[in-house]
C-alpha cells in the first residue's frame, strides 16, 4: 500500500478516536476501499500517483471522515465519568471543611470547581429568607436554605463537570492536531 | 452539475443505502459507486461519508455485516439487509411516496419548477 494512503489513513484514524479492536476493523475496511478505488482508477488508465491522489480527494478530508467514524455520544461517557469523580471529590472536600484541614479543603474545592465554586460559596451563606424570596413562599413547605444549597450544589456540580469535560475535549483535540502536525 | 445540499440529504442516505442493499449484499466502495451511478452524479456522495451511515444502520440492526475474502486476496466487509431492514425500507419508501405526492400537490410537478421550463417572468 502506498505511503500516502497509509499516512492518510493514520490521520483518519487519529480523528476517529476508536478503541483498538474497532480501529483495526475500521481501518481494514477503509484500506480495502481505497485500494479497490486505486486499482479501478489505474485500470481506467490513470498513473499510480494520479490514482492515489484522486482516491484521497474523493474520499474526503481526514478530519471530516475521521470525525464521522467516531462513536456517537462518545463524549457522554467522559461527561458521566467526570461528574461522578467530581461529585465524590466534592463530597469529601465539603465534608473536610468541618475538620482541622477545613481551610485547605475549601481552597482545593474552590480551585477544582472554579468558577462554579465562587457561586456555590456565595449561595451557601444565604439565609432561609433569601431562598424564599427567590423561589416565592409557595414552595416554603418544601424549601429551606439546606435543601436550596443541596439543589444548587448539585446543579453547579453538573455544570462544572460539563466545563471540565469541554476543557478535556479541547486538550485532546489540541493534542491530536499537534500529533498530526508532527507526522 | 448541481448537487443536492447536505441538509436535503440528511437522514435520507440511510434509506438510499438500504435500497442499494435490497438487490443483494455489497461492500462500502460498491455501494457508493452504485449510489452515485443511480443518482447520475446528483447525489455527489463523499466516499468516506458512507461508513458512518453503514455503521449507524448496523447499530440499528437494519443491516448486518460479514467479512469475506475478496478477489484481491484481502478481507472485505459485506453488508446485507436484515428482516428489520426490509421493513424499514418499505416504511421509508411509503413515507417518501407520501412526501412526493404532497410536494407535487403543493408545488406542482417537478418539471415546472426547473428554471429552464418556467416561462419568462413567472414567479414561484
Amino acid at each position: 500500500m502506498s505511503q500516502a494512503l497509509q499516512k492518510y489513513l493514520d490521520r483518519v484514524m487519529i480523528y476517529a478516536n476508536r478503541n483498538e479492536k474497532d480501529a483495526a476493523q475500521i481501518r481494514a475496511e477503509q484500506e480495502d476501499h481505497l485500494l479497490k478505488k486505486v486499482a479501478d482508477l489505474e485500470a481506467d488508465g490513470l498513473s499510480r500517483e494520479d490514482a492515489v491522489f484522486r482516491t484521497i480527494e474523493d474520499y474526503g478530508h481526514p478530519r471530516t471522515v475521521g470525525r464521522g467514524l467516531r462513536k456517537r455520544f462518545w463524549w457522554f461517557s467522559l461527561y458521566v465519568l467526570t461528574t461522578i469523580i467530581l461529585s465524590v471529590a466534592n463530597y469529601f472536600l465539603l465534608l473536610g471543611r468541618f475538620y482541622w484541614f477545613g481551610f485547605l479543603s475549601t481552597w482545593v474545592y474552590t480551585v477544582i470547581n472554579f468558577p462554579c465554586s465562587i457561586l456555590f460559596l456565595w449561595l451557601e451563606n444565604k439565609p432561609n429568607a433569601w431562598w424564599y424570596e427567590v423561589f416565592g413562599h409557595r414552595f416554603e413547605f418544601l424549601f429551606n436554605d439546606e435543601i436550596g444549597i443541596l439543589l444548587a450544589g448539585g446543579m453547579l456540580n453538573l455544570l462544572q463537570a460539563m466545563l471540565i469535560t469541554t476543557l478535556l475535549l479541547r486538550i485532546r483535540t489540541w493534542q491530536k492536531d499537534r500529533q498530526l502536525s508532527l507526522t | 452539475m448541481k448537487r443536492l445540499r447536505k441538509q436535503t440529504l440528511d437522514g435520507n442516505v440511510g434509506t438510499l443505502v438500504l435500497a442499494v442493499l435490497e438487490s443483494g449484499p455489497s461492500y462500502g466502495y460498491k455501494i457508493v459507486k452504485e449510489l452515485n451511478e443511480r443518482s447520475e452524479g446528483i447525489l455527489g456522495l463523499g466516499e468516506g461519508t458512507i461508513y458512518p451511515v453503514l455503521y449507524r444502520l448496523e447499530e440499528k440492526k437494519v443491516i448486518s455485516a460479514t467479512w469475506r475474502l475478496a478477489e484481491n486476496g484481502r478481507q472485505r466487509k459485506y453488508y446485507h439487509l436484515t428482516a428489520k431492514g426490509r421493513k424499514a425500507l418499505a416504511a421509508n419508501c411509503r413515507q417518501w411516496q407520501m412526501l412526493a405526492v404532497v410536494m407535487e400537490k403543493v408545488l406542482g410537478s417537478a418539471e415546472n419548477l426547473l428554471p429552464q421550463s418556467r416561462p419568462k417572468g413567472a414567479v414561484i
Side-chain angles (χ1 to χ4, degrees):
Chain A
M1 192 183 190
S2 95
Q3 220 181 345
L5 287 180
Q6 285 291 1
K7 274 202 164 185
Y8 174 78
L9 275 180
D10 287 345
R11 284 169 173 249
V12 168
M13 294 318 294
I14 283 172
Y15 282 114
N17 196 32
R18 302 290 286 243
N19 65 45
E20 224 169 284
K21 191 185 156 216
D22 285 352
Q25 289 207 345
I26 291 170
R27 194 185 172 110
E29 193 177 13
Q30 315 274 312
E31 217 172 272
D32 177 56
H33 183 127
L34 295 172
L35 288 174
K36 175 90 175 114
K37 171 108 181 179
V38 170
D40 279 5
L41 289 174
E42 277 185 310
D44 286 347
L46 255 66
S47 69
R48 171 90 180 159
E49 214 169 56
D50 286 346
V52 169
F53 180 75
R54 174 85 182 275
T55 300
I56 290 174
E57 199 181 50
D58 286 353
Y59 208 71
H61 193 281
R63 188 191 286 249
T64 317
V65 178
R67 287 193 168 170
L69 293 170
R70 279 182 186 176
K71 247 197 161 95
R72 285 208 293 174
F73 306 119
W74 63 278
W75 53 268
F76 190 71
S77 49
L78 182 66
Y79 175 62
V80 171
L81 187 70
T82 312
T83 308
I84 292 169
I85 293 172
L86 194 68
S87 305
V88 173
N90 283 346
Y91 173 77
F92 285 108
L93 285 170
L94 292 174
L95 202 71
R97 292 194 305 169
F98 298 105
Y99 297 95
W100 63 268
F101 52 90
F103 185 71
L104 182 69
S105 265
T106 309
W107 269 105
V108 174
Y109 173 82
T110 312
V111 170
I112 67 168
N113 287 281
F114 186 81
C116 289
S117 51
I118 305 296
L119 192 59
F120 180 80
L121 295 172
W122 177 70
L123 284 172
E124 200 183 26
N125 295 319
K126 295 292 172 195
N128 263 348
W130 186 85
W131 289 99
Y132 294 147
E133 210 173 293
V134 174
F135 292 100
H137 283 272
R138 228 162 8 130
F139 301 107
E140 204 176 311
F141 64 97
L142 53 81
F143 232 93
N144 60 32
D145 58 339
E146 279 171 7
I147 293 173
I149 198 62
L150 197 72
L151 289 176
M155 281 194 275
L156 288 175
N157 207 47
L158 293 175
L159 182 65
Q160 184 66 24
M162 201 174 281
L163 291 175
I164 294 175
T165 308
T166 312
L167 190 69
L168 290 173
L169 293 178
R170 287 308 311 161
I171 292 171
R172 208 161 168 167
T173 310
W174 174 76
Q175 277 177 332
K176 280 185 192 299
D177 286 343
R178 199 163 160 266
Q179 201 179 335
L180 286 175
S181 66
L182 293 174
T183 55
Chain B
M1 181 187 286
K2 293 246 178 192
R3 286 180 170 185
L4 275 176
R5 275 181 299 188
K6 195 183 168 290
Q7 293 96 312
T8 319
L9 267 179
D10 272 348
N12 297 312
V13 183
T15 307
L16 298 176
V17 170
L18 293 180
V20 169
L21 290 176
E22 199 189 16
S23 50
S26 192
Y27 52 95
Y29 175 66
K30 207 172 154 197
I31 294 171
V32 181
K33 214 172 159 189
E34 189 151 352
L35 277 175
N36 285 333
E37 268 171 25
R38 282 201 206 177
S39 69
E40 293 169 359
I42 299 173
L43 196 57
L45 208 62
E47 293 190 10
T49 57
I50 195 73
Y51 292 99
V53 180
L54 287 169
Y55 299 154
R56 231 174 2 252
L57 293 174
E58 207 181 348
E59 268 173 30
K60 287 183 185 169
K61 298 191 189 325
V62 288
I63 60 172
S64 62
T66 42
W67 287 88
R68 282 190 235 156
L69 203 64
E71 75 285 345
N72 56 4
R74 297 179 63 86
Q75 285 290 323
R76 182 168 288 161
K77 197 174 178 184
Y78 280 83
Y79 296 91
H80 56 88
L81 269 186
T82 60
K84 196 179 169 189
R86 281 182 208 287
K87 277 184 199 165
L89 178 63
N92 290 355
C93 285
R94 274 196 298 277
Q95 287 292 310
W96 261 104
Q97 278 168 349
M98 280 158 69
L99 184 66
V101 169
V102 169
M103 295 295 270
E104 193 161 339
K105 279 188 190 298
V106 176
L107 298 174
S109 78
E111 286 78 34
N112 294 340
L113 293 171
L114 294 171
Q116 65 267 24
S117 61
R118 231 182 296 151
K120 263 187 181 172
V123 178
I124 294 175

